[in-house]
Amino acid sequence: MEEKTAVLPFSSATKTDGLLFVSGQGGLDPATGKVVGASLEEQTAQTMDNIKTILAEHGLSFSHVKKVNIYLSQRGLYSAFNELYAHYFQAPYPARTTVYCDLNYDLLVEIDVIASLK
């Protein structure tokens, strides 16, 4: 029996005024809706893959990203996350905000981005 994922009341991305707003993505496998691992490394890699896929659907890449919002479940993950994050973006880096909070599905990280369509 196949597991069905819930249809949630938001889009994975929306375009307006030359910008693409990508909804918060976490370390969930899009095919199963399950968290991909218990480590920050695994969840960050899946999160960034999810964002990369959504950007690519609109003909964009990480180089188009202008703003990043990061949500971490623990303040202690900040340094390790920065090391992982540096593999995805190059200078000049996008503007960025980091917030510490509870996340759905017991995720360690969630990320949303705003990208230029140009």
Side-chain angles (χ1 to χ4, degrees), residues 10 16 21 30 40 48 57 67 72 75 81 86 91 94 113 117:
F10 60 85
T16 185
F21 292 81
L40 180 63
M48 296 306 282
E57 289 170 357
K67 175 71 167 99
L72 295 173
R75 186 176 298 274
F81 177 80
V113 303
L117 291 168

Side-chain angles (χ1 to χ4, degrees), residues 23-90:
S23 291
Q25 300 296 309
L28 301 172
D29 180 327
T32 66
K34 303 261 187 214
V35 177
V36 295
S39 74
L40 180 63
E41 294 80 8
E42 292 168 303
Q43 290 188 25
T44 299
Q46 183 65 54
T47 300
M48 296 306 282
D49 283 348
N50 294 346
I51 292 170
K52 181 179 179 180
T53 297
I54 293 167
L55 291 170
E57 289 170 357
H58 296 275
L60 304 175
S61 67
F62 287 123
S63 67
H64 293 92
V65 173
K66 302 302 177 193
K67 175 71 167 99
V68 180
N69 293 312
I70 308 207
Y71 307 90
L72 295 173
S73 65
Q74 303 164 37
R75 186 176 298 274
L77 298 174
Y78 185 75
S79 293
F81 177 80
N82 279 333
E83 289 181 34
L84 299 166
Y85 179 85
H87 295 282
Y88 296 94
F89 294 101
Q90 299 176 0

